[in-house]
Amino acid sequence: MLTYSLNGQWSMGIVGRKEQYEATVPGSVYSDLLANGAMEDPYYRDNELPALALMENDFTYEREFTLDEDMLSEEEILLHFEGLDTLADVYLNGEWVAAADNMHRVWDFPVKKYIKGENIIRIVFHSPTKFIREKQAEDPIPGTGDAMYGFPYLRKAHCMFGWDWGPRLPDAGIWRDISLVGVSAGRVLSVQVLQDHRDGKVDLSLLPEIEGTGIWSATVTTPTTSYPLLMRASRGAPANSGVPIYT
């Protein structure tokens, strides 16, 4: 499995305006505009108000990147986001790839068919304030008088929409790491550890979830020894060793 980081320097813009700003990923719209001197400190006096109004806009993040033959030869290439805040459309080389609508999760998008040697990735973040206002108008739901109406409709940190202790600053952007992951045989998605306690001892069973096909081998190391595991996996189903490894 190969990994190519897309963290670092990007270009950020406000849709409908000509200006482009240097941006740092991970980061956010507010942090990038502050770094470029394009907005005032939102925590000073009533600067919260123009900062909030700014989020009526949509924003673009864009960068170029080059992949080598090792990555291009992988069976699949995944575009891996640790966090997108929040309403986003993702494009690769001018092609729409996918949409995101949840700040609190990881996103993996297969992009092998869009990828070539020289590439351009572009992400459009849509206004969170417009979204919640439109949803609230369609079907009002209760929230709290300290926050913006409609905020429960969006899977985004709710404190960004105001609280009794905080301002209304619903930021946006690529707030955690972003990378490309090249996968050929498959990959381990997760490992569940089950404990069986009895007679003053504990047996641990590893239940790996594998995306791929075939028979897999692995070595699990404990503080005292190592244990080989043999697992059979089919695409779309978890592999299960079910083997107690440590007593």
Side-chain angles (χ1 to χ4, degrees):
M1 187 172 74
L2 299 178
T3 301
Y4 182 94
S5 175
L6 290 173
N7 290 349
Q9 294 304 116
W10 288 56
S11 175
M12 189 269 281
I14 301 174
V15 174
R17 304 184 189 180
K18 295 181 179 180
E19 296 86 357
Q20 292 291 310
Y21 304 98
E22 291 185 0
T24 301
V25 171
S28 74
V29 167
Y30 284 160
S31 63
D32 290 325
L33 291 178
L34 282 167
N36 283 275
M39 68 176 291
E40 300 294 332
D41 182 353
Y43 295 103
Y44 181 71
R45 294 192 173 180
D46 61 355
N47 286 346
E48 169 194 355
L49 300 179
L52 175 60
L54 187 65
M55 301 314 297
E56 289 287 301
N57 296 287
D58 295 344
F59 304 88
T60 62
Y61 277 78
E62 186 174 306
R63 67 161 285 177
E64 299 178 357
F65 62 94
T66 303
L67 297 180
D68 61 23
E69 287 300 321
D70 288 340
M71 177 66 82
L72 293 173
S73 64
E74 295 281 359
E75 291 180 8
E76 183 57 86
I77 300 175
L78 302 172
L79 182 55
H80 177 80
F81 293 97
E82 289 290 331
L84 288 171
D85 180 12
T86 294
L87 300 168
D89 282 294
V90 180
Y91 299 85
L92 265 174
N93 298 319
E95 299 285 337
W96 181 85
V97 173
D101 59 0
N102 189 334
M103 177 184 182
H104 305 296
R105 58 160 290 179
V106 170
W107 297 95
D108 281 320
F109 303 125
V111 295
K112 172 78 172 184
K113 64 182 179 181
Y114 306 107
I115 288 289
K116 49 191 179 181
E118 302 291 331
N119 302 274
I120 299 176
I121 182 172
R122 183 171 182 263
I123 304 174
V124 180
F125 289 94
H126 302 286
S127 167
T129 52
K130 285 184 179 178
F131 178 85
I132 63 171
R133 185 168 60 249
E134 291 169 0
K135 289 294 185 181
Q136 182 73 2
E138 293 173 6
D139 186 12
I141 57 175
T144 170
D146 294 314
M148 299 178 70
Y149 293 131
F151 76 88
Y153 273 112
L154 194 55
R155 292 293 295 145
K156 177 177 173 67
H158 286 168
C159 61
M160 289 184 172
F161 293 104
W163 220 252
D164 57 351
W165 48 264
R168 299 178 177 186
L169 296 172
D171 205 352
I174 309 169
W175 75 286
R176 299 183 71 184
D177 292 341
I178 171 177
S179 61
L180 290 164
V181 179
V183 180
S184 286
R187 61 177 180 147
V188 176
L189 298 179
S190 65
V191 178
Q192 182 182 17
V193 180
L194 301 181
Q195 303 180 37
D196 182 14
H197 294 259
R198 66 179 70 184
D199 301 326
K201 299 184 298 182
V202 57
D203 286 341
L204 301 182
S205 297
L206 294 186
L207 303 177
E209 181 185 4
I210 294 175
E211 183 181 69
T213 57
I215 297 175
W216 295 67
S217 63
T219 300
V220 178
T221 301
T222 73
T224 58
T225 188
S226 297
Y227 296 84
L229 296 178
L230 193 64
M231 302 163 285
R232 185 179 299 276
S234 59
R235 190 167 295 278
N240 187 344
S241 68
V243 180
I245 64 165
Y246 190 56
T247 300

